[in-house]
Amino acid sequence: MSDTFNKFRSTIIQSVFYSIGNFFGKFSGVILLPIYLLYLPVDVFGLFALFEGLFQIFQIFSGLGVKLGFARWYWDKEQVNNKKSLFFTTLLFNSLVCVVFSIILYFGFNFLSQYYFKSLISNELALLFIGGNLLKLLSEVPMLLLRAQHRAKKHSIVQIIQLISYVLFVYLFLAWFDMKLAGLFWAVIISASIQLLLLIKVVYENIEFKFNIPLLKEIISYGFPVALGNMVNQLFVFTDKYFINLFSNLKNVGTFTLAHKVSNIVNLLVVNAFMNAYMHSYFKGADEEDSEHFFSRSFTYFLLVITFCSLLLILFIKEALLVFNADKTAYGESAVIVPVLSVGLIFGGIRQMFTLPINKVKKTKVIGVLSIVAGAVNVILNYLFIPKWHALGAAYATGVVQILSSIVLLYYGLKYLNFKLEWKRIGILFFNFLIILIAFYSFQFEFFFYNILYKVFLVVVWFVVGYISGFLLDVEKQRIVSFWKKWGRISAITNNIKSLKH
């Protein structure tokens, strides 16, 4: 019993450290948004988005799947005495592949400038981009080693230092030296170099200069198909920015990218956070008698949270952009795109929830096939919508794909498990959401202050309609009253916080 408890305690502690590192990663992205808005012209931001997509594809394919194989083989019983050799083999092969791909990428930049960026990219800028991202890729295997060794604290410290240094140098190079894209790439180079320096000791302690070719072949045969599949999916996902640039211009790529990053804040801080916590609880109780009831109730609460957060984002996006003066620039056009992406986000969250029952019955083939089909449909819709509606067309395509994917997964979930969702309450949520949006888009004030009051009023209406429409169950009303009685007294806040520990 004590061994089991110690393992569980160790897992919880490591999860906390990883969560801290992940939070800093997400939070740094939120911090960088206003910096981009203030110091990057919209077309330059669009060009940066294309560079980001290029790196993501490069990252997935780097190492030809050897990193996934390393994670699988590191704790294999047959590799007990070969761990250091395994690490050296993986590190060297991954580094060689990254260097070769970087050289190919450099000599292919003229082609990319013409057919991908649709803009002249100087040799200096290409070298900065390739050099910075090569340094980032070289640190991935040592960071993977830390995860394999369950050194979560060390992993998070290195990750946080790298992220903080990146944010600081981005601000320095953009705000003080006005270096635009070159400044962003120099920030990558410096922060990635700092990360590598912090990992030198880790590499030195875990390396044995023995290259194991037979083992490498095994690892690649295991990891390459997965890497290839991930790359195909990433190519599908990235077609929106490519087609916007192809049929329009970098300005529209920039506005769409900003809208996507803003709407994705809800996904990062709400959807992902919920799914990471809920997934383990769901599978832990998957065989219990009330598991379907648990899923149904959880789905309702999940939908409640993401519809409300998305509604707030839609209502106040113009004010959020105004804070950074972005509404007075070309970035202001993102305010039109965010609502469409936010609706897609709601169904994207629903899609993630519906994958859990499918995974429960081990019908993962459905999810895999759907991902490929959805990606292909997204490409087709982008090709059809973007020439007509530009960046907004890409948002429409994303929304349609997410809605259709949710319906397909719901069908298979009902087919295999026949779970009973709380359809009445779900209907109330969507009706309430729709009514507020209709009221918002039907009438607005010219004066800024009146508009703010009107939007706050609509939020209050959302709560009132939800309460009087019968959405809340009696037991939920009682818990809300109890919660208010306990936490509504400011004088008792200290004791209430202490009670959470018990």
Side-chain angles (χ1 to χ4, degrees), residues 54-214:
L54 186 61
F55 170 71
Q56 288 165 4
I57 295 171
F58 196 150
Q59 183 183 37
I60 290 172
F61 209 58
S62 66
L64 305 178
V66 73
K67 287 173 286 190
L68 180 64
F70 173 78
R72 164 64 180 81
W73 260 261
Y74 189 79
W75 288 107
D76 192 287
K77 293 180 180 179
E78 296 180 3
Q79 303 303 322
V80 172
N81 299 319
N82 296 322
K83 283 184 169 56
K84 291 187 176 183
S85 171
L86 172 64
F87 174 65
F88 172 71
T89 301
T90 305
L91 179 65
L92 180 59
F93 181 78
N94 183 74
S95 301
L96 289 173
V97 172
C98 289
V99 169
V100 171
F101 279 5
S102 296
I103 294 171
I104 294 172
L105 184 61
Y106 174 74
F107 285 106
F109 248 92
N110 287 335
F111 176 84
L112 290 172
S113 294
Q114 184 176 356
Y115 296 103
Y116 175 67
F117 293 106
K118 284 178 60 183
S119 178
L120 182 63
I121 306 298
S122 67
N123 286 336
E124 179 187 358
L125 204 59
L127 277 172
L128 288 176
F129 169 73
I130 293 171
N133 288 301
L134 176 60
L135 290 172
K136 284 174 66 175
L137 292 171
L138 293 179
S139 68
E140 287 193 341
V141 174
M143 291 293 282
L144 181 60
L145 174 69
L146 291 177
R147 293 198 295 274
Q149 293 178 336
H150 305 299
R151 297 171 64 182
K153 182 178 179 180
K154 175 73 173 179
H155 182 280
S156 294
I157 290 173
V158 173
Q159 185 181 27
I160 291 169
I161 291 174
Q162 185 270 325
L163 289 168
I164 291 175
S165 62
Y166 177 67
V167 171
L168 290 176
F169 281 109
V170 165
Y171 177 74
L172 177 67
F173 292 141
L174 293 187
W176 290 84
F177 296 101
D178 193 28
M179 293 174 65
K180 301 295 187 294
L181 272 184
L184 295 176
F185 295 154
W186 271 115
V188 172
I189 290 172
I190 296 172
S191 61
S193 298
I194 292 172
Q195 185 177 27
L196 281 173
L197 287 173
L198 293 171
L199 292 169
I200 287 176
K201 185 179 178 182
V202 174
V203 173
Y204 177 75
E205 292 173 344
N206 292 274
I207 203 165
E208 178 185 348
F209 295 97
K210 180 182 176 182
F211 195 74
N212 193 329
I213 295 178

Side-chain angles (χ1 to χ4, degrees), residues 275-412:
M275 291 301 296
N276 287 337
Y278 176 73
M279 179 174 61
H280 301 290
S281 298
Y282 177 76
F283 287 122
K284 181 180 179 181
D287 296 323
E288 295 178 4
E289 203 170 310
D290 66 339
S291 63
E292 300 310 322
H293 174 72
F294 175 60
F295 174 79
S296 177
R297 184 61 51 84
S298 300
F299 179 78
T300 303
Y301 292 152
F302 172 71
L303 197 58
L304 171 68
V305 175
I306 59 172
T307 51
F308 177 65
C309 291
S310 298
L311 182 66
L312 289 180
L313 190 61
I314 292 170
L315 292 178
F316 295 100
I317 180 59
K318 285 188 176 180
E319 287 71 24
L321 292 175
L322 181 65
V323 172
F324 308 109
N325 203 34
D327 69 317
K328 296 181 181 178
T329 68
Y331 282 112
E333 297 177 16
S334 298
V336 181
I337 305 171
V338 167
V340 180
L341 288 174
S342 296
V343 173
L345 169 76
I346 293 173
F347 285 93
I350 292 172
R351 176 180 174 177
Q352 288 192 53
M353 279 292 284
F354 284 161
T355 60
L356 295 177
I358 307 298
N359 276 304
K360 176 183 175 180
V361 294
K362 300 178 181 178
K363 300 292 184 180
T364 52
K365 184 179 179 180
V366 171
I367 300 172
V369 172
L370 176 63
S371 296
I372 295 173
V373 173
V377 172
N378 191 51
V379 172
I380 295 170
L381 292 180
N382 278 328
Y383 185 79
L384 295 174
F385 291 173
I386 289 174
K388 184 174 183 180
W389 293 298
H390 304 302
L392 191 58
Y396 287 145
T398 299
V400 170
V401 169
Q402 296 289 19
I403 292 171
L404 293 177
S405 299
S406 301
I407 293 172
V408 171
L409 286 175
L410 173 62
Y411 168 78
Y412 280 103

